[in-house]
Amino acid sequence: LHVRSRRQRQMCIRDSSNHFALYFYSFYEIIIKKKIDLIIFSGVPHIGPDYILYHIAKILKIRTILSYQTIFPNKYIMINDLEEFGQIKNNIDKTFKVDHTEILKNKNFYVNVQDKFNKNQEKSNKSFKKQITKILTDKRFFRKKLINFLIRINLIKRVDAEKEYKKNYEACSSKNETINNILNSNKKILYFPLQSQPELAALLANDFDDQLRVIEKLTSILDNEWTIIVKDHPIQTSYQRNFFFFKRLNSFKNVLIANTNYPGIELIKKANIVATCFGTSGWEALINKKKCLLFSNSWYSGLAGVLKINKNTDDETILKFINEKFNQEKFNSDLCKLYSSFYDGYSVGCL
C-alpha cells in the first residue's frame, strides 16, 4: 500500500509537470509569434493557466493589467502587478472628495450580497425542478444512491470525507461555554479565522500558504498571557483538512478551536488582535477598530492598522505592532485615499 501510494504521488507529480509544460510552451509560442506587448487579466491570476501566463509576462517584461472587484458597490481595482495589490497611491485625483463615513455605510454590502446569493442558491437547489434536472443529467445518480444504501447497511465500506472532516473538527473544538469563559477572562486574545481552501488566498499568501505554520509561528512569538482562538471557514470542506491537519492543530499550546456555529464577528469584537491569510476577516477587524496581522497580501493591506508580514518580518516587529494602539484617524485617512484610487464599474471577470 505504501509503495502504491508513493507511485501514485510520483505519477501525479509527473502529470502536473507535463500539464505545466503544455501551458507554458503554448503561451510562450503565442506571445512570441503574435508579438504580444500587453496582457489584460479579467481578475487576479490564480486559477492555474492564468498564473503561468502572468509569470511568463513578467519574465519577458510584457506589460500586464489586472482587475479585481472590491467589496464596495460599483468599484473595482486596476493594477499592473500583483505587488501593487493594496498599495495606497499618492497620485490620486485631489479634486475627488470622499468621506470615510460614507464609505463605511457600504461596509456590509459584500456580506449581504453573499448571504442573499447563498440563500437563493440553497432555495434553488431544493426546488423540485432542480432535483428532477439533477436526476436526469447525472448519469451516476442511481449508482451513487445504491452505493450509499449499501454503505448504510454495512455491506460495503467507504470513508465519507465530509463526515470525517466534521467528526475530526468536533473532536478538537471547544464548547461555546469554554470560548465564552476565555473571552471574558483576563487573557489576551488573538483570533485566527482559517481561510477556505483552495482559494486565491493560498496564492497571495506566498510564504504562508500553510495556515498551520502561521499559527505555529504565532504560538512561538506570544507568551502564556495569550490565547489563540481558531475557527474554520463556514464553507470549508474536507479538502486539506484531514485527520493529521487537526492532530497538528490540536497539538499547539494556548490554542482553542471554536465551533463553526460560534459567531465570527463576536470573536473579532472580543479579540485584542486578528491574524489572517488574506480573508475579509482582516477588513472586518479594521472596521471594528482592531488591528490585523496579515500573512499575505490583500486589497486592504496598505491601510493603517495592518501589518503585512513576509518571510523577512522579525518577531520584534510583530510584537511591537501588537502593542501599538489602533490609529483610527490614520485608518480613516488611508481608507479615503485607497477608495479614491478605485475605478467606477465592474471588473470583466465579475460580469
Side-chain angles (χ1 to χ4, degrees):
L1 181 63
H2 174 71
V3 173
R4 184 185 300 172
S5 63
R6 186 176 64 190
R7 285 176 180 172
Q8 287 174 341
R9 287 197 298 271
Q10 289 172 341
M11 286 176 64
C12 286
I13 292 169
R14 283 197 294 270
D15 285 345
S16 297
S17 178
N18 293 333
H19 207 175
F20 168 82
L22 285 169
Y23 275 119
F24 183 91
Y25 290 113
S26 296
F27 285 140
Y28 180 80
E29 185 178 357
I30 292 169
I31 289 171
I32 298 301
K33 280 188 175 181
K34 300 294 182 180
K35 298 180 179 178
I36 304 295
D37 56 13
L38 172 65
I39 301 176
I40 301 174
F41 295 87
S42 61
V44 176
H46 70 288
I47 301 298
D50 59 347
Y51 191 60
I52 296 171
L53 178 59
Y54 171 78
H55 278 282
I56 293 173
K58 291 302 168 187
I59 292 169
L60 298 177
K61 294 183 169 51
I62 295 172
R63 190 184 174 207
T64 56
I65 296 177
L66 291 62
S67 62
Y68 179 82
Q69 193 66 39
T70 73
I71 63 170
F72 302 101
N74 307 320
K75 291 289 183 181
Y76 74 97
I77 296 168
M78 189 159 59
I79 54 178
N80 297 115
D81 192 284
L82 278 173
E83 293 303 314
E84 296 176 22
F85 203 38
Q87 287 183 5
I88 298 175
K89 300 175 182 177
N90 294 319
N91 58 340
I92 57 174
D93 184 2
K94 303 294 184 182
T95 62
F96 180 76
K97 300 293 182 182
V98 61
D99 187 79
H100 71 275
T101 56
E102 291 298 315
I103 301 171
L104 293 176
K105 282 180 181 178
N106 292 312
K107 64 183 180 182
N108 294 321
F109 175 79
Y110 171 80
V111 176
N112 293 337
V113 169
Q114 191 66 42
D115 287 345
K116 188 176 180 181
F117 172 79
N118 291 338
K119 287 177 183 177
N120 290 339
Q121 192 71 20
E122 187 179 347
K123 187 177 179 182
S124 173
N125 289 338
K126 289 180 179 179
S127 69
F128 178 75
K129 185 178 179 181
K130 189 87 172 181
Q131 293 297 322
I132 294 297
T133 304
K134 183 179 179 180
I135 293 170
L136 294 174
T137 55
D138 189 353
K139 295 179 180 179
R140 299 182 299 168
F141 179 81
F142 292 107
R143 180 174 176 269
K144 287 188 285 188
K145 288 292 182 183
L146 176 60
I147 290 172
N148 289 336
F149 173 73
L150 294 174
I151 292 171
R152 209 159 44 239
I153 62 175
N154 292 321
L155 280 181
I156 61 173
K157 298 283 185 181
R158 178 175 287 183
V159 176
D160 187 321
E162 299 312 313
K163 283 184 179 178
E164 283 295 304
Y165 162 69
K166 290 177 181 177
K167 178 183 174 182
N168 292 331
Y169 192 97
E170 287 173 6
C172 291
S173 59
S174 301
K175 293 180 179 179
N176 290 354
E177 183 182 358
T178 304
I179 300 295
N180 288 335
N181 290 338
I182 289 292
L183 293 176
N184 294 321
S185 69
N186 293 324
K187 286 276 188 181
K188 295 177 182 177
I189 305 296
L190 183 145
Y191 174 45
F192 190 97
L194 291 168
Q195 180 64 42
S196 63
Q197 292 175 293
E199 242 288 4
L200 174 61
L203 169 67
L204 294 175
N206 294 321
D207 302 307
F208 301 106
D209 57 322
D210 180 356
Q211 295 183 86
L212 292 187
R213 190 154 62 88
V214 176
I215 299 171
E216 197 169 33
K217 179 179 178 64
L218 290 169
T219 59
S220 69
I221 295 173
L222 302 175
D223 57 33
N224 291 328
E225 291 182 4
W226 285 85
T227 296
I228 299 173
I229 298 179
V230 178
K231 179 174 176 281
D232 210 351
H233 198 282
I235 66 169
Q236 181 62 44
T237 63
S238 60
Y239 181 77
Q240 295 192 21
R241 299 286 194 274
N242 59 20
F243 171 78
F244 290 104
F245 175 92
F246 289 103
K247 186 170 184 179
R248 182 181 169 197
L249 176 59
N250 207 31
S251 70
F252 297 146
K253 65 174 184 178
N254 300 329
V255 172
L256 289 178
I257 305 166
N259 216 300
T260 50
N261 62 14
Y262 202 99
I265 192 64
E266 290 302 313
L267 292 171
I268 289 174
K269 288 179 178 179
K270 292 287 182 73
N272 297 86
I273 193 165
V274 174
T276 184
C277 294
F278 179 83
T280 52
S281 51
W283 164 249
E284 290 171 356
L286 294 171
I287 60 180
N288 281 282
K289 302 179 182 179
K290 299 295 171 74
K291 291 175 297 180
C292 171
L293 295 171
L294 184 61
F295 288 83
S296 71
N297 200 1
S298 181
W299 64 269
Y300 58 80
S301 56
L303 296 174
V306 178
L307 178 63
K308 182 179 167 184
I309 297 170
N310 57 43
K311 62 182 180 181
N312 298 317
T313 308
D314 56 46
D315 296 352
E316 289 73 22
T317 301
I318 295 174
L319 287 172
K320 182 183 176 183
F321 175 79
I322 289 174
N323 292 321
E324 291 173 354
K325 289 185 178 180
F326 182 83
N327 191 331
Q328 185 68 53
E329 187 177 346
K330 183 71 166 61
F331 169 76
N332 294 341
S333 174
D334 285 352
L335 179 59
C336 291
K337 289 178 183 177
L338 181 63
Y339 189 86
S340 300
S341 70
F342 296 160
Y343 292 83
D344 293 327
Y346 294 95
S347 66
V348 179
C350 295
L351 293 177

